[in-house]
Amino acid sequence: MRLPQEIIRDKRDGRTLADADIGDFIRGLTEERVTEGQAAAFAMAVFFRGLTLDERVALTRAMRDSGRVLAWDLPGPILDKHSTGGVGDTVSLVLAPLVAACGGFVPMISGRGLGHTGGTLDKLASIPGYDVAPGLDRFRAVVRETGCAIIGQTGDLAPADRRLYAIRDVTGTVESLDLITASILSKKLAAGLDGLVMDVKAGSGAFMAGIDEARDLGRSIVTVANAAGLPTRALLTDMDAPLASAAGNAVEVGYAVDYLTGRMREPRFHAVTLALAGEMLVLGNLAVDPHEAETRLRSALETGAAAEAFARMVAALGGPGDLLEGADRHLPRAPVTRPVVAAKTGTVEAVDTRAVGLAVIGLGGGRSRPQDDIDPRVGFTGLIRPGDRLNRGDPIGMVHAADDAAADRAEVALRSAYRIGEATPMERVAIIDRLG
């Protein structure tokens, strides 16, 4: 076994790593023989030098094999969806129960917030009693009983990724195409899936802001996943504005409840959700084509079957049994809530979506360091979109803050993230491309 620093030096100098070297390094990371500093150096070397396709596959498999790999015996396909991250990206919370209501089984292993993007796990952790880290036996039982379970990465599944994930978040290596690919797929391969659909974001709120970069990432994930034996498709979707009109943790859970119960279904969020869920149904042979898939999904929403699946999942994982009826009672609420108003009349020309995500972190809704606590109450709601017309004094959104000083700072940050003028913004479609 070679020394970790020798492996780091090889990648730093642009040499191709052997499968055995990658496996040794990841085993060392899992067993804590590789230090945090060495892992950070490796991540930075990969960030600048990149990995070949074979190296990506080897890294993904090594991270998968760092822990347990699940096997399922269920009366339906084992399916999952993963997003590369965005702001107001609440899709996972509604998609898992939606697909479950159509006959799929969705064991979704999600992450905490990474960089400026919100984490599905942090959102669910804002539900009182919800166990985001159950044991594998309970996880398996909930998937069998309710059709879906959204939990955090356990110590048993891809533990090497869990450690590297936290290091990437604070070392400026989040955007590495190679590390994103291995991180996502190691967890998905360990989950024992029959099929995976990727939501690859492009735009100002995405890690890969440019469409070409995002397309490269999507192709990388699809290629590596299929090479590793996991049938995968990807959609390239728009993140040039928050996908939902809410950004935060508890506020996004509230948004998901409103969506599932039909109280509010915003067009772009609805379109992305149906498109991703439809790909999952087709991939799992639960629908013959996207048209049939959409028909089934709309029925699951209108009959309340998807909402019921969500409620059963929440209750089975320790959350309140009446969250759908009593979200306002159960979800934590910020003590300071007030509108952020426009400083002038005009049309929203563009949104710096990354700045909106950073404003949520500034409120305490995200992390600057892995050990930081999150305030689940804070964030924004009622966020307007590019193309919306408003007068001076009209609200851009509502800020939910812990105190007046934090609300003041968030107001400035949110207002500066919106460019208001007289130009008509370029029309952007919600679904940019399909890959795989």
Side-chain angles (χ1 to χ4, degrees), residues 1-62:
M1 183 178 69
R2 298 178 66 207
L3 292 173
Q5 54 265 44
E6 294 302 310
I7 297 171
I8 294 166
R9 183 176 290 110
D10 277 352
K11 182 46 59 182
R12 181 200 67 187
D13 294 341
R15 287 187 281 274
T16 300
L17 299 178
D19 290 4
D21 287 342
I22 292 173
D24 284 344
F25 192 89
I26 295 303
R27 278 191 295 275
L29 185 65
T30 307
E31 297 165 2
E32 298 189 356
R33 290 182 286 103
V34 170
T35 69
E36 188 168 295
Q38 287 171 323
F42 177 79
M44 191 62 74
V46 170
F47 181 88
F48 282 113
R49 290 297 191 171
L51 298 177
T52 66
L53 174 60
D54 287 345
E55 285 177 306
R56 289 180 204 169
V57 174
L59 179 61
T60 300
R61 285 176 169 159

Side-chain angles (χ1 to χ4, degrees), residues 117 141 152 192 196 223 244 260 270 291 318 336 373 403 414-415 435:
T117 68
L196 172 67
T223 302
L260 287 167
H270 190 44
H291 177 73
V336 176
D373 291 328
D403 53 48
L414 186 65
R415 197 176 288 115
L435 307 170

Side-chain angles (χ1 to χ4, degrees), residues 42-406:
F42 177 79
M44 191 62 74
V46 170
F47 181 88
F48 282 113
R49 290 297 191 171
L51 298 177
T52 66
L53 174 60
D54 287 345
E55 285 177 306
R56 289 180 204 169
V57 174
L59 179 61
T60 300
R61 285 176 169 159
M63 290 168 67
R64 174 199 65 188
D65 294 340
S66 66
R68 185 174 175 183
V69 178
L70 297 181
W72 300 89
D73 181 18
L74 295 171
I78 314 303
L79 305 169
D80 200 0
K81 161 263 175 191
H82 187 86
S83 168
T84 56
V87 179
D89 184 7
T90 317
V91 171
S92 291
L93 274 64
V94 303
L95 179 142
L98 182 54
V99 171
C102 294
F105 289 86
V106 187
M108 188 176 286
I109 299 171
S110 298
R112 299 192 181 276
L114 188 63
H116 67 280
T117 68
T120 296
L121 204 62
D122 296 322
K123 298 165 192 176
L124 290 169
S126 70
I127 301 174
Y130 191 102
D131 186 358
V132 297
L136 283 179
D137 288 344
R138 187 181 187 189
F139 176 47
R140 295 169 70 95
V142 173
V143 173
R144 177 177 289 279
E145 293 165 8
T146 71
C148 61
I150 308 175
I151 69 165
Q153 194 173 348
T154 72
D156 300 279
L157 300 178
D161 173 68
R162 189 176 188 179
R163 191 172 179 208
L164 190 57
Y165 189 96
I167 291 167
R168 287 170 53 217
D169 191 18
V170 294
T171 57
T173 55
V174 166
E175 297 89 346
S176 166
L177 182 150
D178 306 291
L179 296 178
I180 292 172
T181 299
S183 175
I184 291 168
L185 292 180
S186 62
K187 295 189 289 286
K188 300 309 178 185
L189 289 167
L193 304 178
D194 295 322
L196 172 67
V197 174
M198 283 298 307
D199 180 5
V200 182
K201 301 294 188 185
S204 63
F207 286 124
M208 301 296 185
I211 290 177
D212 289 342
E213 294 173 295
R215 187 175 283 113
D216 287 344
L217 175 59
R219 287 173 176 155
S220 172
I221 291 171
V222 169
T223 302
V224 172
N226 282 287
L230 174 59
T232 300
R233 297 176 181 174
L235 296 184
L236 189 61
T237 67
D238 177 56
M239 187 43 70
D240 249 342
L243 183 57
S245 59
N249 293 298
V251 293
E252 288 193 49
V253 175
Y255 181 95
V257 169
D258 286 345
Y259 176 86
L260 287 167
T261 57
R263 286 192 286 267
M264 180 175 65
R265 288 183 185 146
E266 296 173 337
R268 292 180 69 82
F269 182 88
H270 190 44
V272 170
T273 298
L274 291 182
L276 291 165
E279 293 286 343
M280 291 172 70
L281 295 191
V282 173
L283 195 59
N285 295 316
L286 295 171
V288 296
D289 56 34
H291 177 73
E292 181 186 344
E294 183 170 331
T295 300
R296 294 198 64 191
L297 293 165
R298 288 184 182 275
S299 176
L301 286 170
E302 297 308 320
T303 61
E308 291 170 7
F310 178 79
R312 290 196 302 271
M313 177 189 75
V314 168
L317 286 166
D322 62 342
L323 183 64
L324 294 181
E325 299 80 20
D328 287 344
R329 295 196 312 274
H330 292 298
L331 295 174
R333 306 173 80 176
V336 176
T337 304
R338 66 188 192 218
V340 178
V341 300
K344 64 178 181 178
T345 296
T347 298
V348 178
E349 295 177 346
V351 182
D352 183 346
T353 311
R354 184 174 187 274
V356 176
L358 292 174
V360 174
I361 294 175
L363 283 164
R367 297 178 183 81
S368 299
R369 302 172 301 166
Q371 66 268 31
D372 286 348
D373 291 328
I374 278 183
D375 186 342
R377 306 169 297 173
V378 302
F380 300 104
T381 56
L383 294 170
I384 62 174
R385 297 193 54 82
D388 287 349
R389 181 78 182 175
L390 70 171
N391 296 314
R392 181 179 180 182
D394 286 347
I396 296 171
M398 297 288 294
V399 59
H400 300 247
D403 53 48
D404 286 322

